[in-house]
Amino acid sequence: MKRMVKAARIRARRFLDIRGYKREALAFLEFLRTVPADALTPAREGKKVGILVSPWMYTAVPWFSITLAYFYKLRGFDAFIIWDDVPFTDFGQLRDQNKVIGQVLERVASSLPSHKLTAFAPAPLDAADTKEVERLTKLNAIMKFRSATPKDDWKPFMTVVRKTISESMARSKTLLAQDGFDHLVLPGGIYGNAGVLFWAAGRKKIRVATYDCGKNTILLGVDGIAAHLLDVPKIFEPALMEKHISPVKQKVLELARKEFERRLVGADDFKYQKTVYEAGETGLRACDVLIALNVDWDAAALGRHMCFAESHEWLLETVRFIIENTNATVAVRQHPVERVPGYRCKHDLENELKALFNNSPRIHFYDAEHTVNTYNLVESSRVVLPFTSTIGIEAAMLGKHVIMESTAYYSKLPFVQFASSREKYFSLIKETLSTREALAPEKIEFANLCYYYGQLINRLFTGFTPHNDDFNVWVQNGFGALAKDPLVQSIVQALADNVPLVISRNQVYLEERHGH
């Protein structure tokens, strides 16, 4: 009986999803009537860009990508749609979405040609391709099951994913064997078959730009995965620092400190903290080492470890080293966003730590619901061990030593001690715990600069995103309204010209919002 009820609910959900999807597609077709003739004319001679269109969990991602293609055409590009119609996991849902996508692409075919991935014969996969298939299979399973540690019940899902990713990889290789793509534009860059195209293009040395979004906000990666924020450190190259940072450095530092002060008291846009930070707060259990966790299945964290297989191993092995080789106390802080049910990882870390380390009084676990402010934990510590989250930058802003082994965007900047091996990572922890040397002022200043460019400039707050709530607004306003929006033009310019937002919008941000 329970199975019948569950099956009925699944059918009802699928019916409602596809009905809403068809309704959005019709609204998008009306929107396309507002696209100017210049974008509808046959392709001019220009750089060739491939823009991925693929089912994306019933969201407006395909319609956003097609809209980007028309903006590219207005900039003189030869824009092509790469339609990934290879089903990923839920074949029924993807078949429903692909049918609707196909109807839209047929309507725009005269002005926007498309390459259907299943039309390309599969090419053989080499050893490197096969290794990447396994990596992407695991990362997609982590996203699916909200955990970093594989379980036996993952196997059926991973078998299906491995097969479909392999097919997509083989067909993508044939597609990209054609000469001429200047760059590609993809959503995400990890989820589904998008990760396959990201890999295949990289092997052909084709630039891949990506986008990621939430409601009213968008992240771009002009040459990499947007969620990894790899655009940020580019502005710290010496010549670019001299040109873009030096003339406005004091203003940038002032704005970074003001924004950080808002975050300390939970008044920032994210509002992760449940309690207000109080400098020098007493009553906290002081710790020598703070280990700050990420949400394991979030794109920002996926595939970023260098010295450990995954986050669970990193945490347990790092705690084990500290307990067995030092006298230090350890605090483990679960990411505060895991208070939200949809963001929770499926691990009982607190009890696992207690069991493995015999309920050691030197280890204290602060779960997401704990009313402590994370920045008070930072202040009470001597060394902070982040994975990829912003807390590593913020810890340095508070004068703390930060040690990292991941490929986070800031891990090789001057305020971080970076380890490329497990042995080096552990030795840095031990050495740093034995010193009382304060973090140098110039390193704290650099951390402030990184905070500004990573948190204020690299993310655009705009209504032009593929989030369904945003789509339902801009699709009604028409193409002309988007074309007049400077933030929309910033998005297209960054993607097309390979210029990170942290560079292109640096002076604009200061002038528009702060009268500099």
Side-chain angles (χ1 to χ4, degrees):
M1 185 66 177
K2 288 183 178 179
R3 288 183 180 178
M4 292 176 62
V5 171
K6 183 178 180 181
R9 286 177 177 170
I10 291 173
R11 287 194 298 270
R13 180 72 265 172
R14 180 178 168 188
F15 171 77
L16 292 172
D17 284 340
I18 194 60
R19 187 172 69 173
Y21 199 64
K22 289 178 178 178
R23 186 165 55 245
E24 289 183 350
L26 289 173
F28 183 63
L29 287 171
E30 287 299 312
F31 166 85
L32 291 177
R33 295 178 185 275
T34 69
V35 176
D38 286 351
L40 297 174
T41 54
R44 298 184 288 273
E45 287 296 325
K47 292 181 179 179
K48 184 177 179 181
V49 59
I51 299 179
L52 179 65
V53 169
S54 176
W56 206 269
M57 298 175 284
Y58 292 104
T59 68
V61 165
W63 324 137
F64 181 85
S65 293
I66 293 170
T67 305
L68 283 179
Y70 280 115
F71 275 116
Y72 263 93
K73 290 195 70 177
L74 286 175
R75 290 176 64 87
F77 278 80
D78 196 359
F80 286 81
I81 295 297
I82 299 173
W83 177 17
D84 183 0
D85 60 330
V86 177
F88 181 56
T89 53
D90 192 318
F91 301 142
Q93 291 184 7
L94 290 163
R95 185 174 60 246
D96 291 345
Q97 293 172 76
N98 267 319
K99 184 176 180 180
V100 177
I101 290 171
Q103 292 167 349
V104 173
L105 291 178
E106 186 177 353
R107 293 278 293 273
V108 303
S110 61
S111 58
L112 200 58
S114 61
H115 299 297
K116 190 175 181 180
L117 199 55
T118 55
F120 292 87
L125 301 185
D126 60 25
D129 294 327
T130 302
K131 183 178 180 180
E132 181 65 9
V133 167
E134 288 302 313
R135 190 184 79 92
L136 290 172
T137 298
K138 181 179 178 181
L139 295 184
N140 275 278
I142 289 171
M143 284 189 278
K144 165 75 173 177
F145 294 102
R146 303 292 199 260
S147 173
T149 306
K151 305 285 194 307
D152 286 341
D153 60 1
W154 291 20
K155 290 181 180 178
F157 175 83
M158 292 180 72
T159 298
V160 173
V161 171
R162 187 178 294 111
K163 179 181 178 182
T164 57
I165 283 181
S166 296
E167 179 185 350
S168 183
M169 179 86 75
R171 295 183 187 279
S172 294
K173 289 184 70 173
T174 304
L175 165 66
L176 295 177
Q178 301 179 8
D179 294 329
F181 282 111
D182 177 74
H183 67 282
L184 306 182
V185 180
L186 315 178
I190 301 174
Y191 169 74
N193 292 330
V196 172
L197 202 56
F198 185 90
W199 161 261
R203 294 202 74 187
K204 295 287 292 182
K205 299 191 180 336
I206 300 170
R207 178 171 72 90
V208 183
T210 64
Y211 62 84
D212 208 335
C213 84
K215 184 179 179 180
N216 290 320
T217 181
I218 194 166
L219 284 172
L220 304 179
V222 300
D223 191 7
I225 293 171
H228 291 170
L229 307 186
L230 297 177
D231 284 358
V232 175
K234 294 175 182 177
I235 199 168
F236 296 119
E237 296 171 6
L240 293 176
M241 278 192 75
E242 182 65 27
K243 180 178 180 181
H244 296 286
I245 297 179
S246 295
V248 295
K249 183 177 178 180
Q250 292 310 310
K251 185 65 175 178
V252 165
L253 290 171
E254 177 189 338
L255 293 171
R257 294 185 189 110
K258 284 183 178 179
E259 178 63 21
F260 187 43
E261 287 169 4
R262 292 178 64 228
R263 183 167 291 192
L264 287 172
V265 298
D268 62 311
D269 293 320
F270 298 103
K271 298 180 174 63
Y272 288 149
Q273 300 301 327
K274 293 182 74 171
T275 57
V276 173
Y277 166 83
E278 295 180 13
E281 181 186 357
T282 59
L284 278 178
R285 183 180 298 192
C287 62
D288 297 306
V289 179
L290 171 63
I291 301 177
L293 304 182
N294 277 71
V295 178
D296 288 337
W297 55 268
D298 183 61
L302 285 171
R304 309 305 284 165
H305 282 292
M306 280 197 65
C307 308
F308 300 89
E310 33 75 13
S311 293
H312 189 249
E313 181 188 74
W314 163 64
L315 172 63
L316 298 185
E317 291 303 310
T318 301
V319 171
R320 188 186 308 280
F321 174 83
I322 294 168
I323 294 300
E324 294 179 356
N325 295 277
T326 76
N327 294 318
T329 55
V330 182
V332 178
R333 174 56 160 163
Q334 189 176 34
H335 198 293
V337 78
E338 290 198 44
R339 293 193 305 268
V340 181
Y343 282 87
R344 288 177 187 158
C345 293
K346 296 180 179 179
H347 263 140
D348 187 357
L349 291 173
E350 182 172 13
N351 285 323
E352 188 170 3
L353 288 168
K354 287 178 179 179
L356 282 173
F357 299 103
N358 300 315
N359 206 17
S360 171
R362 291 167 57 197
I363 304 170
H364 192 70
F365 186 84
Y366 294 90
D367 65 26
E369 295 289 348
H370 202 289
T371 54
V372 70
N373 184 294
T374 303
Y375 302 110
N376 285 124
L377 292 177
V378 172
E379 187 182 50
S380 74
S381 69
R382 294 165 53 201
V383 176
V384 176
L385 307 178
F387 176 29
T388 66
S389 66
T390 311
I391 196 70
I393 303 168
E394 296 162 330
M397 292 170 74
L398 291 170
K400 302 300 177 179
H401 294 282
V402 177
I403 304 171
M404 302 185 71
E405 57 80 36
S406 75
T407 55
Y409 67 97
Y410 62 89
S411 62
K412 294 186 180 181
L413 294 180
F415 56 89
V416 171
Q417 296 182 78
F418 174 71
S420 58
S421 71
R422 191 177 301 205
E423 293 74 20
K424 181 63 174 177
Y425 184 62
F426 289 153
S427 69
L428 282 174
I429 293 171
K430 191 171 183 178
E431 291 167 12
T432 307
L433 283 169
S434 67
T435 182
R436 295 290 174 178
E437 184 178 342
L439 193 66
E442 61 269 20
K443 293 183 178 181
I444 296 174
E445 181 179 90
F446 209 113
N448 277 269
L449 293 174
C450 183
Y451 183 82
Y452 172 84
Y453 288 103
Q455 298 300 301
L456 276 71
I457 301 297
N458 191 57
R459 184 187 306 269
L460 273 186
F461 292 96
T462 170
F464 181 52
T465 83
H467 191 284
N468 281 17
D469 290 349
D470 293 334
F471 167 79
N472 288 331
V473 175
W474 61 258
V475 77
Q476 297 298 325
N477 292 338
F479 192 92
L482 292 179
K484 294 176 183 176
D485 187 334
L487 294 181
V488 174
Q489 296 309 311
S490 293
I491 292 170
V492 180
Q493 178 186 3
L495 296 172
D497 296 345
N498 191 18
V499 179
L501 288 173
V502 291
I503 295 173
S504 64
R505 284 195 55 79
N506 184 38
Q507 189 66 32
V508 173
Y509 182 90
L510 292 170
E511 291 174 353
E512 289 182 351
R513 302 195 182 191
H514 302 282
H516 181 79

